[in-house]
Amino acid sequence: MRRHAVLWSMVVLAVAMLVPFVIVVLNAVKTPAEYATGGPLELPEGVSLDGVIAFWDRVDFGEKLLNSAIISGSVAVLAVVVSVCNAYALGIGRVRGRTWVLVVFLTANTLPQEALVYPLYYLADAIGLYDTKLAVIIVFTAIQSAFGTYLLTSTLSGFPRELLDAARIDGASKWQALVRVVVPISKPTLGVLFVFFFIWTWNEFFLPLVLLISNENQTVPVALGVLQGQRLMDATMTSASALLGVVPAIAFFLLFQRALTRGITAGAVK
Amino acid sequence: MPQRLIAAVVAALLVGVAGCGGSDEAADNTFKLWHFEGPDSAMGTAWAEAIKQFEASHPGVKVAFEEKGFEQIQKTGSLAVNSKDAPDLLEYPKGNATAGLLSKQGLLTDLSDEVAQRGWDKKLGPGVDTTARYDERGVMGSGQWFGIPNYAEYITVYYNKDMFDRQGLALPTTLDQLTAAMDRFVAAGITPLATAGQEYPAQQVLYQLALTKADRGWVDRYQRYTGDVDFHDTAWTYGATTFADWVRKGYLSRDSAGLKAEDMGLAFMQGKNPIMVSGTWWYGRLRAQVKDFQWVSARWPGMTAGSSGNMWVVPKAAKHKQYALDFIDITLSPAVQDKLRDAGGVAVAPGAAPAADPAIRQLNDDYRALRDADQLAFYPDWPVPGYYDVQVQAVQKLITGDADPRQVLDELAGPYREHVASIGK
Amino acid sequence: MRAVRERGSYLLYLAPGALLVLAVVLVPFGMNVGISFTEWSGVGEPEWTGLDNYGRLLSDGTFWASFRHNLALVVAMAVLPTLAGLVVAATLVDYIGKHFGARQAAVLRACVYLPQVLPIAVAGIVWSWILAPKDGALNAALRALGLEALARNWLGDPDLALWSLMGVLLWMQLGYPVVIFMAGMSRLDPALHEAAELDGASWWGRFRHVTVPGLRPEIFVVLLTCTIAALKVFAPIYVLTRGGPAGATNVPAYYSFQNFFERTRVGYGAAIATVLTVLVLVLTAVFLRVQQRGER
């Protein structure tokens, strides 16, 4: 009985988290006229995909998806690699002054992006990277890996020493110890980091808006933003764009579930 | 082994940062054009036609058109115009804080010679050039031409005719009739005025009220810094106190403090409020989406907020200025201007024949009348960069009752004085 | 002697990350500090004004008010999600996961995490529909339940807007600690739990004495990163309230943005951003010190 009460309370929480998504879907399949007369909460009479199709064509959404995927994917991979290297030196290597090094790394994550915008724009323009995906990849790899460094350093500082010592006795170099011992054991955390980096980068709006000015380089959130802040915003098209913005993110999340689930099963087995 | 790998990663990063970023150099015969009007809007339709005509008259030139967002251009347009990747021609917001600022910083091409040569000033007629010309301080109204407007816009009053009929009311033509009508609606349990405090609508209503007691000199002092502005003079005081009265009498709901313009438009389109005081930019959408009641647009009694629309500007860094100028010329041709008008826009240089649709004719005739009587008063948030937010916050306080009219006017006065003091620096 | 060489080779692993942070963060931030001593509109030549901007900040009421609002948002984005996240994560892992299966737990976790995935521009639109005063979903639901008296203008009332915003941020933020804590719990030794269970400890007792202490590193990470995120919070405010009504939800990050891009007072915006950064750095340093004490 009580077990089910706990289960149901969790289900209620989950449903509450999902309500806004339902509202997005409802409005994405309405016609503008339905929305204009009924508002956002009326049930649609049928499924009209006109808004979705119109938005897709208007911003060439396929291209935006590809751009976002390239940028988020590169950043997620690079930032995980950089984070692992940093955390290896700080958490296991215990480099001198590591608290301060950590603080410096964290600055990357703490700075309000508004403070970096103008300098980054000027630097990018000066070295010919303004309006290139590479600029955004470099910037976000730095920002995300700063966070990853901090998280991994915390977890690696509690890494079982005896495992490392055993590897060393077997004659493994530092590099081999990292690749064969540290990385495999940290896999669940690395998987989580990868997912976070991917999704955070996917949803970044402000810096891509400033650094990627031409449409062929734009990312999904910037394309969504193009419709917003117009003096006239057609709400059905906005929801359609919202739906198109949510779907890929959910798809990735489901793909990444495997990486996250390992953590749970490890706790539940035995 | 590991050292070598790390060294390789570092080297790769350095190489990546050092160059190889730029992908393709703009082909020499590409005309790069940006604007932020939706494809179905009056401007969007007209300019699509202009692109067609340009391609026909410039064989071999490829038009690389990109649709942008208004906010994107407003916030980051200056960065693009200042970079090596500037477009040849783009639509840019008009006013001291936007086009004026760019002109002052020398980022825009001075178009004065072209204007004279191609006779654009004659086409546009008097009064429209105020927002197109900027002096060396970046203040509009005199100096060189830096932008060419294609359309105009102004604040008008939209009435839901069916709701007026149901109350047995005639459509108002004076402010007194308007308030009498609103009283009747309130008595019938209907909130008469749709507005929104989180964005531009509410501040424009206050400005409209102030304008009923204003003249051209007052507007010039406020918008072009031609003299001292007293925020407690008759006009401002009338605007703020009347607005507060309207809130108190229930002409507009206190809830509107947290609404956006879109919410206001929807409330009107759903027949929740019979009156909306807002810009002609709603016109096309109302025509397309209001199916179940009759509505009309009518002039605001007296001066009204309005001006030329956003403008074509040519960045200093543009590679094909000639193409840009040719394109502007096409957009001012009667054919394109008529197309803009017939799609529900306000044309600045239409052909000789009036519009076929009587409602559109009315809309455009109202504009002519306003222009010829010199009654367009720009917008309340124009004089100071970032004034928009100040106005939003101040008028929200009037709606929620957190401040009285006097305090609100003081709040508007502070940033204004500060800005005027810094001009010419 | 050997120890020194060891350290040295570990330093090599820091090189790529250090280079990135230098190029993307430290140098631009230095430039930002430089800009904060000038009067500048974003393009053209900055004009040196020394400490003027900072002087003006000290007497700027809006700036101080924005910090006060920010403290409330730290509660909503850091403190509450951490507490709630611990309970939810523990419930999912060793209650739902144990009694109903890992699959159910994973599905529930996915639902809780989903708001993190939602692009913020979209979240803004949806929540403004839900919280709309007249036909918003929340007020409509209250009316349907006969609680008309509780319906409010959630985002338009200066006394309520900050609370509404806190609610939305809690919704957005909750999934992040849940996922981190669940990953962290896979590190914990199940034997500890079983021992406590044999000793007759209740679920709550095990949660307090086994799970929470075991998750200490993760709790620190979550608290710190969420606090930093809360201090930097910008996008939700931009899409939901624009700092209004009447300035009730303005925060430093948004205020600096306003100065950068709306008032074109880049120098002043840079000064705000600099002050905010220094504050966050001090806080970070304090956090890390405390964490290291805890580890010893």
Side-chain angles (χ1 to χ4, degrees):
Chain A
M1 191 64 232
R2 208 186 82 185
R3 281 186 190 184
H4 282 277
V6 174
L7 178 68
W8 281 114
S9 66
M10 283 292 138
V11 170
V12 167
L13 174 75
V15 168
M17 300 303 271
L18 293 182
V19 163
F21 291 88
V22 175
I23 293 182
V24 169
V25 176
L26 275 189
N27 286 288
V29 298
K30 277 183 197 171
T31 61
E34 271 179 349
Y35 178 85
T37 49
L41 298 172
E42 297 271 309
L43 287 177
E45 303 191 356
V47 173
S48 145
L49 289 176
D50 298 355
V52 176
I53 293 162
F55 176 77
W56 185 290
D57 292 336
R58 184 168 163 183
V59 302
D60 191 1
F61 198 72
E63 183 185 66
K64 308 291 172 278
L65 277 176
L66 187 66
N67 290 339
S68 269
I70 291 172
I71 290 173
S72 306
S74 318
V75 168
V77 171
L78 290 173
V80 167
V81 171
V82 173
S83 308
V84 170
C85 291
N86 286 344
Y88 189 49
L90 296 171
I92 290 174
R94 306 231 157 204
V95 176
R96 197 174 306 170
R98 62 203 192 89
T99 307
W100 293 110
V101 177
L102 264 189
V103 169
V104 170
F105 271 108
L106 264 177
T107 21
N109 211 265
T110 54
L111 277 185
Q113 287 184 2
E114 295 82 54
L116 299 178
V117 160
Y118 276 98
L120 283 175
Y121 157 77
Y122 275 94
L123 290 172
D125 200 32
I127 56 180
L129 284 183
Y130 176 63
D131 199 20
T132 62
K133 297 189 198 72
L134 185 60
V136 177
I137 292 172
I138 292 172
V139 168
F140 284 118
T141 301
I143 290 175
Q144 312 288 30
S145 66
F147 167 81
T149 301
Y150 172 65
L151 183 101
L152 278 176
T153 304
S154 310
T155 51
L156 288 189
S157 56
F159 198 86
R161 288 268 147 197
E162 51 274 21
L163 288 177
L164 290 168
D165 293 342
R168 192 162 302 162
I169 288 162
D170 290 346
S173 68
K174 284 203 179 52
W175 176 250
Q176 287 162 330
L178 173 66
V179 174
R180 290 181 200 161
V181 181
V182 178
V183 169
I185 289 186
S186 320
K187 265 226 173 96
T189 316
L190 295 188
V192 171
L193 271 186
F194 179 89
V195 176
F196 281 165
F197 291 165
F198 191 98
I199 286 172
W200 286 341
T201 311
W202 183 275
N203 285 342
E204 278 293 345
F205 175 73
F206 186 55
L207 281 176
L209 176 78
V210 174
L211 292 177
L212 301 174
I213 192 75
S214 67
N215 286 9
E216 60 183 14
N217 287 327
Q218 254 176 27
T219 62
V220 170
V222 178
L224 299 183
V226 163
L227 278 191
Q228 299 221 354
Q230 299 284 54
R231 262 190 166 168
L232 284 180
M233 191 177 70
D234 180 340
T236 41
M237 197 184 265
T238 309
S239 324
S241 70
L243 188 67
L244 285 174
V246 174
V247 167
I250 292 179
F252 292 126
F253 180 66
L254 294 177
L255 284 177
F256 297 145
Q257 270 284 358
R258 294 272 308 276
L260 300 182
T261 312
R262 246 185 243 123
I264 297 188
T265 44
V269 175
K270 291 195 179 180
Chain B
M1 167 77 206
Q3 277 90 335
R4 231 181 301 160
L5 188 114
I6 291 163
V9 171
V10 173
L13 276 172
L14 278 173
V15 171
V17 172
C20 81
S23 45
D24 57 314
E25 272 309 301
D28 215 17
N29 241 356
T30 310
F31 167 45
K32 203 165 159 187
L33 165 72
W34 293 356
H35 71 64
F36 45 78
E37 305 294 344
D40 306 330
S41 69
M43 281 64 85
T45 349
W47 293 343
E49 172 64 25
I51 291 175
K52 267 210 208 80
Q53 291 191 16
F54 178 90
E55 282 171 334
S57 59
H58 294 70
V61 180
K62 191 174 159 298
V63 180
F65 160 66
E66 294 192 3
E67 186 195 332
K68 299 291 176 195
F70 175 74
E71 296 242 336
Q72 192 184 6
I73 293 298
Q74 192 197 25
K75 305 237 185 320
T76 65
S78 63
L79 301 181
V81 167
N82 192 27
S83 80
K84 302 180 183 104
D85 297 316
D88 300 317
L89 180 68
L90 74 157
E91 181 188 11
Y92 204 74
K94 68 278 173 188
N96 297 349
T98 46
L101 192 67
L102 289 197
S103 71
K104 178 176 152 188
Q105 285 155 345
L107 296 175
L108 299 181
T109 309
D110 175 359
L111 303 169
S112 305
D113 295 349
E114 289 294 324
V115 170
Q117 228 169 11
R118 301 191 187 225
W120 288 342
D121 47 353
K122 310 250 180 339
K123 273 192 176 167
L124 291 172
V128 181
D129 63 350
T130 309
T131 44
R133 300 171 64 185
Y134 296 90
D135 63 15
E136 65 287 349
R137 299 172 307 160
V139 176
M140 66 181 184
S142 65
Q144 306 305 308
W145 287 73
F146 285 103
I148 306 295
N150 251 207
Y151 66 101
E153 50 185 28
Y154 59 92
I155 303 283
T156 185
V157 192
Y158 296 98
Y159 293 119
N160 179 328
K161 202 165 168 316
D162 291 17
M163 288 176 83
F164 272 79
D165 290 346
R166 274 199 292 277
Q167 298 296 328
L169 287 164
L171 295 178
T173 52
T174 66
L175 199 55
D176 290 340
Q177 288 173 3
L178 178 66
T179 43
M182 291 204 282
D183 280 326
R184 181 79 67 87
F185 280 112
V186 170
I190 299 168
T191 305
L193 183 66
T195 191
Q198 216 189 83
E199 286 177 349
Y200 61 84
Q203 57 181 262
Q204 290 178 351
V205 171
L206 191 151
Y207 189 60
Q208 291 294 96
L209 288 168
L211 285 174
T212 56
K213 305 279 179 212
D215 57 18
R216 174 53 56 186
W218 184 90
V219 171
D220 279 347
R221 284 195 297 280
Y222 177 60
Q223 298 277 0
R224 296 175 49 206
Y225 326 118
T226 53
D228 281 342
V229 173
D230 173 9
F231 278 86
H232 294 288
D233 63 5
T234 325
W236 280 115
T237 307
Y238 177 81
T241 48
T242 312
F243 188 94
D245 277 351
W246 282 21
V247 176
R248 213 184 45 246
K249 289 178 178 160
Y251 295 173
L252 57 126
S253 143
R254 285 195 190 272
D255 285 349
S256 46
L259 294 181
K260 292 194 157 86
E262 172 74 8
D263 304 320
M264 165 187 79
L266 276 182
F268 182 78
M269 288 192 269
Q270 292 168 350
K272 288 186 177 143
N273 313 103
I275 305 167
M276 174 166 87
V277 177
S278 195
T280 48
W281 47 87
W282 285 98
Y283 200 91
R285 183 146 169 220
L286 295 184
R287 260 170 71 97
Q289 293 188 351
V290 175
K291 296 278 184 264
D292 38 14
F293 63 83
Q294 295 270 314
W295 59 275
V296 293
S297 76
R299 271 185 57 184
W300 177 261
M303 293 188 93
T304 188
S307 72
S308 84
N310 298 313
M311 309 179 295
W312 294 119
V313 300
V314 182
K316 263 268 168 59
K319 296 184 186 72
H320 302 292
K321 289 186 184 168
Q322 199 51 45
Y323 294 160
L325 298 168
D326 291 353
F327 185 82
I328 294 174
D329 207 35
I330 293 173
T331 61
L332 286 173
S333 68
V336 173
Q337 285 283 311
D338 285 354
K339 202 171 181 89
L340 189 152
R341 179 192 66 191
D342 295 340
V346 180
V348 284
D357 179 322
I360 287 194
R361 194 180 314 161
Q362 184 66 50
L363 180 80
N364 278 269
D365 287 351
D366 282 352
Y367 166 69
R368 293 264 168 289
L370 285 166
R371 190 193 71 183
D372 296 340
D374 201 14
Q375 289 197 301
L376 290 170
F378 316 112
Y379 294 95
D381 57 313
W382 272 18
V384 185
Y387 213 20
Y388 179 81
D389 276 320
V390 176
Q391 296 253 0
V392 164
Q393 311 261 338
V395 178
Q396 273 179 327
K397 285 183 194 166
L398 261 190
I399 302 176
T400 56
D402 279 287
D404 62 29
R406 211 184 157 72
Q407 290 165 313
V408 167
L409 291 174
D410 283 335
E411 218 163 289
L412 295 181
Y416 185 90
R417 287 211 189 94
E418 205 175 295
H419 178 68
V420 169
S422 75
I423 279 184
K425 264 191 191 171
Chain C
M1 198 56 222
R2 197 185 136 176
V4 174
R5 278 231 334 266
E6 295 264 303
R7 284 259 157 79
S9 68
Y10 273 118
L11 274 178
L12 258 183
Y13 287 88
L14 269 180
L19 197 77
L20 270 175
V21 167
L22 185 73
V24 173
V25 179
L26 297 182
V27 171
F29 180 63
M31 290 164 78
N32 179 71
V33 174
I35 294 170
S36 74
F37 298 123
T38 66
E39 177 116 17
W40 189 40
S41 64
V43 264
E45 283 301 306
E47 179 194 341
W48 184 265
T49 55
L51 288 170
D52 276 10
N53 286 324
Y54 291 94
R56 189 168 347 138
L57 261 191
L58 288 177
S59 59
D60 185 345
T62 315
F63 175 71
W64 293 110
S66 71
F67 263 114
R68 276 198 303 279
H69 304 148
N70 220 159
L71 286 181
L73 297 186
V74 168
V75 172
M77 279 183 77
V79 180
L80 291 176
T82 305
L83 295 177
L86 271 173
V87 175
V88 172
T91 309
L92 286 179
V93 172
D94 51 51
Y95 207 99
I96 308 282
K98 263 205 191 108
H99 298 303
F100 296 95
R103 174 148 262 246
Q104 281 79 344
V107 169
L108 289 172
R109 179 187 54 181
C111 296
V112 175
Y113 184 68
L114 219 41
Q116 283 270 303
V117 180
L118 192 65
I120 188 75
V122 179
I125 300 164
V126 176
W127 279 100
S128 54
W129 283 339
I130 293 175
L131 299 172
K134 282 218 172 49
D135 45 11
L138 182 57
N139 284 348
L142 287 171
R143 273 194 281 274
L145 295 169
L147 299 167
E148 174 97 44
L150 288 178
R152 292 278 182 283
N153 186 1
W154 300 104
L155 290 173
D157 177 339
D159 304 328
L160 272 178
L162 195 60
W163 292 101
S164 307
L165 190 68
M166 285 168 72
V168 175
L169 289 173
L170 178 61
W171 173 85
M172 272 184 211
Q173 202 66 16
L174 182 63
Y176 162 74
V178 168
V179 170
I180 293 243
F181 292 151
M182 282 172 92
M185 286 172 78
S186 68
R187 265 191 319 114
L188 300 184
D189 187 353
L192 287 174
H193 244 282
E194 281 155 26
E197 211 163 355
L198 289 175
D199 288 348
S202 66
W203 184 88
W204 184 246
R206 294 200 304 273
F207 171 74
R208 274 190 44 199
H209 299 295
V210 180
T211 310
V212 173
L215 285 179
R216 183 167 291 192
E218 277 85 0
I219 293 176
F220 261 109
V221 170
V222 166
L223 262 183
L224 178 56
T225 50
C226 285
T227 305
I228 289 169
L231 287 172
K232 288 199 315 185
V233 71
F234 161 77
I237 301 212
Y238 180 73
V239 296
L240 277 170
T241 63
R242 302 269 163 128
T249 54
N250 205 345
V251 293
Y254 183 68
Y255 191 44
S256 82
F257 169 86
Q258 276 182 319
N259 280 292
F260 274 125
F261 288 98
E262 279 158 14
R263 304 185 183 174
T264 59
R265 297 204 310 216
V266 177
Y268 196 54
I272 297 167
T274 307
V275 171
L276 181 61
T277 309
V278 169
L279 179 91
V280 174
L281 286 186
V282 170
L283 207 80
T284 309
V286 170
F287 244 101
L288 289 175
R289 283 262 155 225
V290 173
Q291 183 178 6
Q292 284 191 314
R293 287 236 175 90
E295 275 172 17
R296 261 176 225 147

